[in-house]
Amino acid sequence: MLKRFAATTLYAIRLPINWQPTSNVCLCRTLEFKKNRLEIDNEGALKKIRPKTAPVPKITLLGLEKDVSVVTIDVASKMCERRGLKLVKIIDIDTKTQRPVYQMMTANQFLKEDHKSHQDKDEKNHNQLKGEKTVLINCRIGQSDLESKVNNIRKWLSKMNEVRVTITGDTANEVADEVIKMTQESSRVVQRREKGNTVKFQLLPPKKS
């Protein structure tokens, strides 16, 4: 009995420190295999996921007969190229569709549209106001002083300024009519307003054709 106990003790001492039962080793290897397989599956799933492609912006295209279609800018360009037409943008962004609007034009239509746009631009520049001036007139003003103010108004109008005129007093309407009559050849009257003994109106330079 003593010999058997001694042999068992000696065997236990000789076992390696990291010794584990066979069942534990198998369990660890099984878990490690499952972990590796899960990592491989996850890598495969990541490879299959494709990034979302950004939507291709589209335009509203007007044909020669004003027919409407929604296409990409590349498609519209190719359509015009095949038919020998010009692709012209007429609206930057349509507020309803939130798309730019293009129109297919022939060479003659394109030249006419280009000429018209230049005319509109020139007219806008000619009629663009440079500034604003204010004139206060009392109805008791003398004739010479009134003529002096009217001369200043004409000068400002000739330099593309807007002139705001305010006339006060019992006879403000009569003085206002006189000022308007004296400047009618070089001005346009807009927004005439009357309140009590005060008359206000604006004089703008005449439109240049």
Side-chain angles (χ1 to χ4, degrees), residues 92-107:
D92 288 332
I93 289 294
D94 187 357
T95 55
K96 291 183 179 180
T97 62
Q98 295 300 311
R99 291 191 301 266
V101 180
Y102 285 75
Q103 184 174 355
M104 302 169 71
M105 294 184 181
T106 62

Side-chain angles (χ1 to χ4, degrees), residues 1-182:
M1 184 69 179
L2 184 59
K3 290 181 179 181
R4 183 180 298 177
F5 175 76
T8 304
T9 304
L10 181 61
Y11 176 74
I13 293 172
R14 289 180 179 178
L15 285 174
I17 297 174
N18 59 349
W19 176 85
Q20 294 181 357
T22 304
S23 60
N24 289 348
V25 173
C26 293
L27 179 60
C28 290
R29 290 182 177 178
T30 301
L31 292 175
E32 185 177 359
F33 173 76
K34 289 183 177 180
K35 179 182 178 182
N36 293 336
R37 185 172 181 180
L38 181 61
E39 290 177 354
I40 293 173
D41 291 341
N42 289 338
E43 289 178 1
L46 290 174
K47 290 180 180 179
K48 291 180 181 179
I49 297 175
R50 296 180 180 179
K52 294 183 179 179
T53 56
V56 180
K58 294 187 177 182
I59 64 169
T60 300
L61 180 64
L62 304 179
L64 294 177
E65 303 298 330
K66 302 299 182 181
D67 49 307
V68 181
S69 57
V70 179
V71 295
T72 63
I73 187 69
D74 291 337
V75 172
S77 299
K78 291 177 181 178
M79 290 172 61
C80 290
E81 186 177 352
R82 286 197 303 267
R83 300 171 63 179
L85 300 174
K86 301 287 186 181
L87 184 63
V88 182
K89 180 190 282 189
I90 56 176
I91 299 177
D92 288 332
I93 289 294
D94 187 357
T95 55
K96 291 183 179 180
T97 62
Q98 295 300 311
R99 291 191 301 266
V101 180
Y102 285 75
Q103 184 174 355
M104 302 169 71
M105 294 184 181
T106 62
N108 289 334
Q109 288 176 329
F110 176 74
L111 291 175
K112 288 180 181 178
E113 187 69 22
D114 187 56
H115 181 65
K116 182 181 177 182
S117 64
H118 281 298
Q119 283 184 331
D120 293 341
K121 186 177 180 180
D122 292 339
E123 183 178 350
K124 183 179 180 181
N125 290 334
H126 284 313
N127 294 319
Q128 189 172 6
L129 297 175
K130 300 294 192 304
E132 180 181 302
K133 302 294 182 179
T134 302
V135 178
L136 300 176
I137 301 175
N138 188 284
C139 65
R140 296 179 182 178
I141 189 172
Q143 187 63 29
S144 60
D145 291 336
L146 180 62
E147 290 177 357
S148 177
K149 286 184 178 292
V150 169
N151 287 333
N152 287 333
I153 292 173
R154 291 195 188 108
K155 181 177 66 176
W156 292 330
L157 290 170
S158 66
K159 294 182 178 180
M160 299 303 296
N161 288 292
E162 174 187 351
V163 182
R164 294 178 176 268
V165 182
T166 301
I167 303 174
T168 60
D170 297 337
T171 59
N173 268 312
E174 288 80 356
V175 177
D177 292 338
E178 188 174 357
V179 171
I180 292 172
K181 185 177 180 180
M182 294 171 71

